[in-house]
Amino acid sequence: MLSTLISRCRLGVIASTLALGGGSPWTPESRADELVIPTTTGAFGNPRKTQVVEVVERVKACVVNIHSERTVSDAKSPFNSAKDLALTQHRVNGMGTGIVIDPRGYLITNYHVVDDVYLLRVRLHDGTSLPAKIIARDPENDLAVLKIDPAKPLPVIPLGTSSDLMLAEPVIAIGNAFGYEHTVTTGIVSALKRDVTLNKEVSYKSLIQTSAGINPGNSGGPLLNVHGELIGVNVAIRANAQNIAFALPIDQVLKTTSEMLAVRRRLGQSHGIVGRDMVDSSSNPIKRWVAVDSVEANSSAEQAGLKAGDVIEKLGDVPVKCLLDVERAYLESSPNAKLDVAVKRSGDSIKAELALRGNSRIVPAVPVSSAGGDVIWKKLGLRLEAVTPDSVTHVNKELRGGLLVKEVVSDGPAARAGFQRGDILIGLHQWETITSENVSFVLNHADLASFSPVRFFVVRGKELRRGWLPNFE
């Protein structure tokens, strides 16, 4: 059965100790100031300096190694019974790989590489080691975005496309295989559009299958074509097999990452652009651009005069080649930020100013009490009461408060997820919960369905616990 033979390629003690069905582990263009990746001229007539050698020389600095630590307990769920509160815990190390997508230190990797870790460090190709934090995550698509603070701008990996991949075309993988940093392997595209299922909760759709050597620790690393363009993100291997590995197609990765970093999700504001990624793979390197499909009514994009069919060439300092670039342009902007936008329309160049505006879609008008308690009771089955920071700082000094669980509806969503009276809710999804309004913000969020299942964090006694809320209306 396939689900018992597939392994995610994250390296760590936990990967070697967990078993699934049959004992097999599931160890599941750029800113204007970006560095230009130098091209090598190669020694004329030197047969050793192959195309692969030149590709690796160009992109190796765009690949990073990820080292993590997590705490695991001896029980499967921290919410099973009271005795689980005193479980023996121990630390395990994990490793993975990341890809530079922005010179300021933004990286993409697999979600399972950083899931439930409390310590993350990234090691650059030059040996520099930096702490990393998680900026965004998408468990369903197994992607996460990390941020480091490099001393100088980092080179960004060239983007390819997965739309025109050919069976048997050569590919190159770079990754932190078994902790051996920047390991290079080669292979071919073995198959396309592979669906891989682990269990009812974890499955992948339309993966690239490759014969390149992918090992634990390669998760989140690049799969490249012979031009050095990113065509996939390595994600899984088939355990106990040889030359069977899988990668997420880059076109889907770009779409998902763009949604993860969308300014409407981060700041609750919108630029009003509804665009579409366009690719011309007939040239070398490939050509990418963003075409405007439409603009949102009464939005900044409409006020700036953008129209369907426009090609966005630049936003702020960022040359725009894909929708991810649009969101990258606003990554470190403050609310209501204004950026210059350059577009091409029927051969003419047009410049305008694009400002962020409040997005009413973030919290729709839902009848709730002034404290948000009604929607919390209706959707979760909880009565909550704010507590002072000193109620939770004994667990973590950085906590700023929380919400005490006063009542739990029997068999409600919260009860099924393991909430108990006396718990202190400190976080929901990616936001802290200091007031009831914080909770109602998440429950009324226009993108709530994409968060599912929603992770929560509670303080119980002297310990920090986490869990997942089931799907709820």
Side-chain angles (χ1 to χ4, degrees):
M1 176 170 157
L2 183 62
S3 63
T4 67
L5 296 175
I6 297 296
S7 293
R8 282 179 174 171
C9 36
R10 174 181 68 190
L11 178 64
V13 175
I14 192 171
S16 60
T17 56
L18 294 180
L20 297 168
S24 297
W26 179 275
T27 50
E29 164 157 322
S30 325
R31 294 174 60 87
D33 59 353
E34 278 183 9
L35 296 183
V36 177
I37 301 172
T39 57
T40 58
T41 56
F44 179 77
N46 184 354
R48 293 170 52 202
K49 198 155 191 177
T50 65
Q51 197 168 14
V52 172
V53 173
E54 294 194 346
V55 164
V56 173
E57 288 182 354
R58 291 201 304 270
V59 306
K60 60 186 179 183
C62 308
V63 183
V64 304
N65 304 292
I66 299 173
H67 303 265
S68 66
E69 290 186 18
R70 59 174 44 80
T71 300
V72 297
S73 61
D74 295 334
K76 295 181 179 179
S77 170
F79 293 102
N80 283 341
S81 62
K83 66 180 180 181
D84 291 338
L85 296 178
L87 296 171
T88 300
Q89 295 185 331
H90 54 93
R91 294 180 180 181
V92 296
N93 296 319
M95 294 184 183
T97 308
I99 304 167
V100 180
I101 60 170
D102 185 282
R104 293 166 291 182
Y106 291 90
L107 320 168
I108 55 171
T109 188
N110 289 135
Y111 169 77
H112 71 258
V113 170
V114 300
D115 180 29
D116 202 25
V117 303
Y118 67 86
L119 177 65
L120 274 174
R121 292 196 70 82
V122 165
R123 186 176 174 89
L124 305 181
H125 182 264
D126 65 5
T128 303
S129 181
L130 298 168
K133 57 184 178 181
I134 302 171
I135 298 298
R137 64 191 89 196
D138 186 331
E140 183 178 351
N141 291 292
D142 202 0
L143 287 170
V145 178
L146 309 184
K147 176 67 170 68
I148 58 175
D149 295 316
K152 58 184 180 180
L154 300 177
V156 176
I157 200 156
L159 296 178
T161 180
S162 50
S163 63
D164 67 342
L165 293 180
M166 300 176 289
L167 289 178
E169 77 167 276
V171 292
I172 306 158
I174 305 177
N176 194 16
F178 282 107
Y180 296 106
E181 299 181 350
H182 280 79
T183 295
V184 178
T185 58
T186 60
I188 61 170
V189 173
S190 304
L192 297 168
K193 298 184 178 180
R194 289 290 198 205
D195 293 343
V196 176
T197 300
L198 169 63
N199 52 42
K200 292 181 179 179
E201 286 74 37
V202 181
S203 63
Y204 298 99
K205 297 291 186 182
S206 198
L207 298 182
I208 303 167
Q209 182 181 327
T210 177
S211 65
I214 306 297
N215 294 282
N218 273 98
S219 280
L223 188 68
L224 307 159
N225 62 21
V226 293
H227 300 305
E229 298 165 338
L230 182 64
I231 59 170
V233 175
N234 299 318
V235 68
I237 59 177
R238 179 164 180 168
N240 303 318
Q242 293 184 351
N243 304 324
I244 300 179
F246 303 94
L248 302 169
I250 186 57
D251 294 339
Q252 182 58 45
V253 169
L254 291 176
K255 179 181 178 181
T256 301
T257 307
S258 175
E259 293 170 352
M260 291 163 62
L261 297 179
V263 68
R264 62 182 169 81
R265 183 174 285 191
R266 293 183 299 105
L267 298 179
Q269 295 192 312
S270 173
H271 42 62
I273 298 171
V274 180
R276 178 161 43 100
D277 281 348
M278 307 294 289
V279 178
D280 178 6
S281 59
S282 63
S283 60
N284 178 31
I286 70 164
K287 293 180 180 179
R288 280 185 169 273
W289 68 96
V290 172
V292 176
D293 271 347
S294 63
V295 295
E296 296 175 353
N298 303 315
S299 68
S300 180
E302 183 179 65
Q303 183 179 18
L306 299 188
K307 297 181 179 180
D310 286 350
V311 174
I312 304 175
E313 296 188 314
K314 192 174 183 179
L315 186 57
D317 292 331
V318 180
V320 174
K321 302 298 180 182
C322 62
L323 286 171
L324 175 58
D325 293 332
V326 174
E327 305 303 338
R328 284 200 308 116
Y330 286 105
L331 267 179
E332 296 180 359
S333 298
S334 57
N336 305 313
K338 298 179 180 179
L339 295 178
D340 293 330
V341 59
V343 302
K344 185 76 75 175
R345 180 185 301 160
S346 301
D348 297 327
S349 296
I350 300 172
K351 294 184 178 181
E353 188 176 73
L354 198 60
L356 295 178
R357 288 185 176 181
N359 186 350
S360 59
R361 291 181 62 248
I362 293 300
V363 183
V366 176
V368 297
S369 69
S370 59
D374 289 350
V375 71
I376 297 171
W377 179 256
K378 179 180 179 181
K379 290 191 174 184
L380 296 183
L382 288 176
R383 298 282 188 203
L384 303 172
E385 179 179 291
V387 297
T388 57
D390 58 7
S391 300
V392 292
T393 51
H394 65 282
V395 175
N396 187 316
K397 293 182 180 180
E398 294 183 2
L399 294 177
R400 303 194 303 161
L403 297 168
L404 177 68
V405 177
K406 302 287 290 185
E407 186 177 355
V408 185
V409 174
S410 177
D411 200 40
R416 293 195 301 272
F419 276 83
Q420 298 178 8
R421 289 184 60 184
D423 288 345
I424 300 176
L425 178 65
I426 61 167
L428 196 58
H429 189 50
Q430 62 185 15
W431 293 286
E432 63 181 353
T433 51
I434 298 176
T435 67
S436 294
E437 286 90 343
N438 297 148
V439 180
S440 61
F441 170 83
V442 179
L443 299 181
N444 291 328
H445 203 292
D447 296 317
L448 179 62
S450 69
F451 302 161
S452 183
V454 178
R455 177 181 285 187
F456 65 89
F457 300 87
V458 299
V459 171
R460 181 176 297 175
K462 296 182 179 181
E463 294 183 322
L464 177 63
R465 297 292 186 181
R466 73 180 181 96
W468 300 89
L469 284 165
N471 295 333
F472 51 88
E473 299 299 329

